[in-house]
Amino acid sequence: MNSTDPVVGPQAEQTFFADPALDRLLGMVFSLTAEVQVLRDRLALLEAALAERGALDPAKLDSLVPEGALASQLAASRSAMVRHVLEGLPGRLASKS
Amino acid sequence: MAALTLFRSREANAFQEFIMEARTWWATELFPRLREEYELRKRLAEQEGRQVRTAEDVAQLFERSTTYAYFCWLERHVQKSKYSSSRWGLVAQLAREPDRAAGRLAAAQSGTLEVKDGFKVPEYYAAHDIHQHPGNLHADPFAGLVYEASALSIHPATRRNELHERFVEVVRRERADLRKVLDMGCGFGKSAVPLARAFPQAEVVGVDVSAPCLKLAAADAAAAKVPNLRFCQADARHTGLAPGSFDLVTSTMLLHELPGEAVEATLAETNRLLAPGGISIHLDFRADDPFWQFIMYGHGVRNNEPFLEPLLRMDLAQAYRKAGFEAVRIEPFAEREGATDPSNPFWRFPWAAIIARKPDLRTANPGDLQ
């Protein structure tokens, strides 16, 4: 498949660039940006909560290694993030046009 | 902006805040650049002896514009992500918090809500997922909540409910002595509730084809303790309500979701339901400028609203007269202070209030009925 092959049939998402690869790539960029922002939001809340309780020493964060349940949680989060970032790649509609 | 509390999940709220921010950037940063580019391209075309008079002329100007491609892409995909992101889209997230959604709808009181068993939505309605809302507004029990949440980011620069409060002021200016009001295509009650509050002496009825939206409307009206308001599932083309029984019939954002013949049928029904001398005020979009026509025609395609362009191309004043109305006025409507000022550089919907009167044949001179 070359980069200009369209998705065939009624499920084809609208495209706006000469090369539909750009349309799909932008979907990933957009989702990634959202992911980063949501993460920053979470991190800021977490650090604020921990610092408020005197439980966070920011200098120690870098030395922590995730294990057990925390490691599984991060794996699930990673999987959902990958799906989110890449879901625009097939160029399919999510709703009837 | 206050933090969103749509969901229990802070991550989902943070995602929807990001979506709103992206939409705002599109409207306030990217759109003005597009407009500047249009003015430049138009000037160059005119220097070459080509006139820009129609939406098709504008489309030609933008044929190879990268700015326009990005503008379109963002309009399409910010909306798509808002609804359909598998991670925190409105549909997926509401399904993850069904108890919260059901709790919100539980306040709907049966006495103020009439939903009909076996009601079939019109074919044109079922055929499209308008606004890119998967399943449209009628299939999922939480569709009203999804729509309500989605509406938060449609008018980035406008305070929530401001548009509907301003619409009430248009109504008040036209007619304050209201006894019975019908709001067609009332959705989740965004206009019906402010109307009922503004005119407590009036009985207000909201009709819509979407049961999930009506349930949310009734629940909110009950929670807000608005006693003079009830909701009924009905098609605006043939409501089944008594003829001549309303002195005001309104709608906001309904007409552009209807195919041409349904617009005509809805106007005829509006006329049938009004008492002699009654007033109709439908709020929708009009665009005279070719640039805005081009933007809005494209919006209809990108936002799954296939009947928007036909409505904008329709001679509405003529359609009103054909439906039996007189004194038809189409007035620009400002959804917030200064919105219609030509110097406003931001994207907005080109709102218009279409105001018309049903002739009162008991008092009119035949010559008045133009």
Side-chain angles (χ1 to χ4, degrees):
Chain A
M1 182 188 235
N2 69 42
S3 64
T4 55
D5 281 345
V7 172
V8 176
Q11 290 305 305
E13 180 53 275
Q14 298 179 18
T15 57
F16 305 103
F17 294 90
D19 184 345
L22 250 184
D23 288 88
R24 301 186 201 181
L25 182 66
L26 276 173
M28 291 186 258
V29 173
F30 186 79
S31 297
L32 267 172
T33 315
E35 286 282 353
V36 172
Q37 175 51 33
V38 172
L39 193 62
R40 291 177 74 95
D41 181 278
R42 186 79 170 184
L43 199 59
L45 289 174
L46 185 65
E47 290 184 4
L50 289 174
E52 192 181 302
R53 288 162 180 74
L56 175 70
D57 179 356
K60 283 191 177 174
L61 275 178
D62 277 339
S63 63
L64 293 177
V65 178
E67 292 175 348
L70 180 59
S72 303
Q73 183 191 330
L74 286 175
S77 163
R78 191 163 53 240
S79 171
M81 179 166 173
V82 166
R83 182 177 170 206
H84 182 204
V85 173
L86 299 183
E87 67 192 3
L89 194 145
R92 303 265 167 180
L93 286 170
S95 58
K96 296 192 294 293
S97 62
Chain B
M1 184 182 76
L4 275 185
T5 53
L6 285 171
F7 303 112
R8 285 199 194 95
S9 161
R10 174 58 209 159
E11 288 192 346
N13 289 327
F15 176 75
Q16 292 296 333
E17 285 169 356
F18 173 80
I19 291 290
M20 289 171 68
E21 199 66 40
R23 174 83 178 188
T24 300
W25 185 86
W26 172 86
T28 61
E29 298 288 338
L30 188 56
F31 177 77
R33 299 289 85 76
L34 186 74
R35 182 81 204 222
E36 284 172 11
E37 190 173 312
Y38 165 67
E39 298 295 348
L40 179 64
R41 285 173 182 266
K42 183 171 170 242
R43 210 162 41 244
L44 290 173
E46 286 170 350
Q47 282 169 7
E48 291 169 4
R50 288 185 288 133
Q51 296 302 306
V52 180
R53 293 199 182 92
T54 65
E56 290 71 25
D57 294 338
V58 179
Q60 263 192 346
L61 294 183
F62 277 120
E63 246 169 22
R64 298 169 71 87
S65 164
T66 304
T67 309
Y68 180 64
Y70 277 114
F71 176 84
C72 295
W73 190 93
L74 271 174
E75 183 174 36
R76 175 80 183 169
H77 286 273
V78 170
Q79 182 84 342
K80 179 177 181 175
S81 298
K82 176 173 67 172
Y83 277 111
S84 298
S85 155
S86 61
R87 187 82 137 139
W88 300 293
L90 294 172
V91 174
Q93 193 60 34
L94 267 164
R96 286 183 201 116
E97 301 184 14
D99 54 324
R100 191 171 154 103
R104 177 85 191 283
L105 297 173
Q109 292 174 344
S110 57
T112 60
L113 172 63
E114 185 189 344
V115 176
K116 292 165 183 161
D117 285 339
F119 183 90
K120 288 192 83 169
V121 299
E123 270 179 36
Y124 68 80
Y125 190 87
H128 304 281
D129 287 347
I130 61 163
H131 312 140
Q132 300 191 63
H133 184 156
N136 206 6
L137 292 162
H138 61 291
D140 184 281
F142 298 150
L145 289 162
V146 170
Y147 183 32
E148 180 197 46
S150 169
L152 282 174
S153 60
I154 288 179
H155 319 292
T158 306
R159 181 169 52 81
R160 199 176 180 192
N161 295 332
E162 185 174 2
L163 180 147
H164 302 286
E165 289 161 12
R166 284 175 166 268
F167 181 68
V168 164
E169 290 315 306
V170 172
V171 170
R172 196 190 300 282
R173 193 190 67 206
E174 293 300 320
R175 184 135 183 203
D177 60 332
L178 296 166
R179 289 166 293 116
K180 200 160 175 191
V181 176
L182 176 67
D183 189 35
M184 290 175 153
C186 66
F188 54 87
K190 54 199 181 302
S191 289
V193 170
L195 279 168
R197 278 205 167 123
F199 303 102
Q201 80 287 358
E203 179 192 348
V204 180
V205 181
V207 294
D208 202 287
V209 294
S210 161
C213 283
L214 290 168
K215 280 179 187 162
L216 177 58
D220 281 358
K225 297 188 168 48
V226 187
N228 57 327
L229 174 58
R230 65 186 173 88
F231 296 96
C232 172
Q233 189 173 28
D235 187 327
R237 296 173 299 175
H238 35 77
T239 59
L241 298 167
S245 56
F246 292 89
D247 39 22
L248 174 73
V249 175
T250 63
S251 77
T252 55
M253 311 166 220
L254 170 66
L255 297 184
H256 73 268
E257 307 296 10
L258 308 177
E261 59 273 28
V263 172
E264 290 177 357
T266 298
L267 295 182
E269 178 70 351
T270 301
N271 190 274
R272 186 187 73 83
L273 292 170
L274 282 169
I279 302 287
S280 164
I281 310 179
H282 291 301
L283 185 69
D284 220 283
F285 310 130
R286 299 312 285 162
D288 299 324
D289 174 89
F291 174 75
W292 275 105
Q293 288 168 345
F294 171 71
I295 292 292
M296 289 300 285
Y297 297 169
H299 173 77
V301 175
R302 295 185 286 273
N303 211 37
N304 292 5
E305 297 180 272
F307 310 120
L308 175 58
E309 180 174 337
L311 182 84
L312 291 169
R313 290 185 184 275
M314 183 184 259
D315 182 345
L316 261 186
Q318 174 60 25
Y320 267 75
R321 284 191 288 270
K322 189 177 159 198
F325 286 97
E326 64 179 3
V328 183
R329 284 142 53 212
I330 300 176
E331 299 184 349
F333 171 85
E335 71 280 11
R336 62 188 160 80
E337 193 62 38
T340 52
D341 189 320
S343 66
N344 172 18
F346 303 141
W347 178 91
R348 62 181 288 272
F349 283 118
W351 298 103
I354 308 134
I355 305 164
R357 186 174 61 219
K358 178 172 179 173
D360 186 347
L361 299 171
R362 296 166 306 185
T363 57
N365 296 316
D368 291 342
L369 303 179
Q370 297 300 315

